[in-house]
Amino acid sequence: IQQEPDMVEAHEFAVAEYVKGQLYLMQYLEYYMHRPRYFLEQRHLLPLGEKARTDLIERYYAFDEAVMLQYLSRKLNSRTRTYLPEVATKTGVPISSCKRQFENIKRIAKQSEDEEGVPLVNEIMDKFALPEPLAKKYAHILFLNINRVDTTKRCLSHFKFADFDFCASTLILYWTTMSSTMTLDDIDEPLTQHAQQLKSLLVENKTNFDRLCTAVCNHIATMAAKTPADAPAVNGGSSSPSQALLHVLETRNTRGTTQLRAVLRTSFSLVASIDASSTLRDVLGTIVEKIVDTFASLGLSSEDMELFYDLVAAEGALMLADTLADPGPSIQALNRTLTGTKLLGRRLFRRKPSLFGPLNKIRPT
């Protein structure tokens, strides 16, 4: 403060009084930060413009992603409050700030849980006067916490808050529907029923699965034929469709095809049972351990995985159109299932570390 132009030659007593006055002002304002809508409507409280009030509320409810990551998958109760000193130590954020962020998310959860028929994001924006991006982040945090989605498994330990925020938004967008009686989104039950039927039709039926693999292989071959031989590489990789994926699919009755079939079975089974609390709780760990790691073990990249899901969705839709009398709902469920799985897998994709990686770091040069 003494480095500010107006305070360069100020006496230490004057600086101390200034800080004390600012502290009293913040303590006075904190009462209204807990009631942000009331704070905006009462113009006589402080000579502040609307933008200043809005900015003050947004800053108060802003949070450190490293701190909020520690609160994911935890109940918002007194037991978690006792965990705050450990959060402060892990993140390097002052405990007072950790407490403020914990109380904010707890306050938002409490004031939003009893509302009916209103999307959670809209409810948060209306009650707390928060901008839409911040309100969406809080909605995603509540979705993960209320549904107890596990973000603490060892296979998820290196992911950041932004990764889980993206996963929550994907789960809500593709696998839930807006309930008429709750603020939080409910799992889409018709989607789970269609996913079970799609698993039986496209995966469990070996004849249909072989047809699907053949169609995907032909699609990749057609794409490769249309790609110029001298086409520039993208991001340092190959400009042609994945030859590794094509090789895995063309070699029938092998470990690779069997594992890709298991990947599709897992994808459909995951959505078919996502309405069960245990499945939803372990959804991210399942994506990593049974889908992402399978592609990585086959030497396939995240681009290969994305291409695989896109082509299965496209060719599967054609098969459904030829097989079912009313294929519309099933095709929509197919796209939602595979697109959601693809996006989650792409975000959580990781290659298994080399066994010799740690040894290489200590090997003498």
Side-chain angles (χ1 to χ4, degrees):
I1 293 176
Q2 288 180 324
Q3 295 178 355
E4 294 293 327
D6 296 339
M7 305 290 287
V8 172
E9 299 181 357
H11 192 274
E12 290 185 2
F13 176 77
V15 174
E17 289 298 313
Y18 172 79
V19 172
K20 187 184 300 184
Q22 293 295 308
L23 178 61
Y24 287 152
L25 177 60
M26 291 300 104
Q27 291 175 341
Y28 174 76
L29 286 175
E30 189 168 24
Y31 171 85
Y32 297 100
M33 292 299 97
H34 297 174
R35 301 157 183 82
R37 182 56 62 182
Y38 176 77
F39 177 65
L40 285 179
E41 295 173 351
Q42 302 301 314
R43 305 301 179 102
H44 65 280
L45 292 175
L46 286 170
L48 294 175
E50 182 175 352
K51 186 179 186 306
R53 293 169 184 265
T54 303
D55 290 345
L56 189 59
I57 294 171
E58 182 177 352
R59 290 188 180 188
Y60 186 83
Y61 282 91
F63 55 80
D64 296 286
E65 293 187 352
V67 172
M68 202 55 66
L69 178 63
Q70 301 297 320
Y71 298 152
L72 295 182
S73 302
R74 293 181 178 274
K75 291 184 178 180
L76 304 175
N77 53 23
S78 57
R79 184 175 182 179
T80 302
R81 187 181 286 108
T82 61
Y83 175 65
L84 295 183
E86 186 176 343
V87 173
T89 302
K90 284 184 177 181
T91 61
V93 177
I95 190 171
S96 58
S97 180
C98 295
K99 180 180 179 181
R100 172 183 61 80
Q101 296 176 52
F102 173 76
E103 295 298 337
N104 284 347
I105 184 62
K106 186 177 178 181
R107 185 179 309 109
I108 290 175
K110 183 176 181 180
Q111 295 193 28
S112 302
E113 62 184 2
D114 296 330
E115 298 297 329
E116 297 184 356
V118 181
L120 182 58
V121 174
N122 295 351
E123 190 64 29
I124 294 174
M125 291 174 62
D126 180 62
K127 285 193 172 183
F128 292 89
L130 298 181
E132 186 174 3
L134 184 57
K136 284 184 176 181
K137 287 184 178 181
Y138 273 112
H140 298 160
I141 293 168
L142 293 180
F143 179 84
L144 294 174
N145 278 43
I146 291 177
N147 291 291
R148 304 299 304 279
V149 178
D150 190 357
T151 59
T152 62
K153 298 186 71 171
R154 185 175 181 179
C155 64
L156 302 171
S157 60
H158 63 290
F159 292 111
K160 306 300 182 182
F161 172 84
D163 299 312
F164 296 123
D165 179 69
F166 176 86
C167 291
S169 67
T170 301
L171 289 169
I172 293 172
L173 179 61
Y174 288 97
W175 295 352
T176 67
T177 182
M178 182 59 204
S179 172
S180 59
T181 58
M182 292 179 63
T183 303
L184 282 175
D185 295 331
D186 282 342
I187 300 300
D188 191 342
E189 292 185 4
L191 175 65
T192 62
Q193 297 171 2
H194 282 295
Q196 183 64 39
Q197 296 170 0
L198 290 170
K199 183 179 73 169
S200 300
L201 184 63
L202 299 179
V203 181
E204 303 297 351
N205 187 314
K206 190 176 185 305
T207 301
N208 287 343
F209 178 75
D210 288 340
R211 285 177 56 198
L212 186 61
C213 285
T214 300
V216 171
C217 287
N218 293 338
H219 199 136
I220 294 177
T222 301
M223 293 171 62
K226 293 181 179 180
T227 302
D230 58 347
V234 179
N235 295 329
S238 173
S239 60
S240 62
S242 172
Q243 296 302 314
L245 177 60
L246 183 61
H247 175 73
V248 170
L249 290 171
E250 284 182 336
T251 310
R252 301 300 172 78
N253 300 320
T254 63
R255 170 176 167 269
T257 306
T258 301
Q259 288 189 315
L260 289 182
R261 187 179 184 182
V263 161
L264 281 182
R265 183 182 291 111
T266 299
S267 301
F268 288 117
S269 298
L270 196 61
V271 178
S273 59
I274 198 70
D275 54 343
S277 59
S278 58
T279 303
L280 185 56
R281 185 187 312 119
D282 297 331
V283 60
L284 301 182
T286 301
I287 292 286
V288 171
E289 294 174 345
K290 295 188 176 181
I291 295 180
V292 169
D293 283 355
T294 299
F295 278 94
S297 68
L298 293 172
L300 300 177
S301 65
S302 59
E303 290 77 13
D304 295 323
M305 180 183 65
E306 187 172 4
L307 177 63
F308 175 73
Y309 277 113
D310 287 341
L311 295 184
V312 168
E315 299 300 334
L318 295 177
M319 290 180 58
L320 294 175
D322 293 338
T323 305
L324 304 178
D326 182 19
S330 295
I331 292 176
Q332 184 182 23
L334 176 69
N335 289 328
R336 291 175 61 189
T337 298
L338 298 185
T339 302
T341 307
K342 176 189 70 175
L343 294 175
L344 291 170
R346 181 66 184 269
R347 187 72 183 214
L348 300 176
F349 198 92
R350 61 187 177 90
R351 288 192 175 275
K352 292 184 177 180
S354 170
L355 176 63
F356 300 100
L359 298 179
N360 292 332
K361 293 182 179 180
I362 61 176
R363 183 178 299 170
T365 58

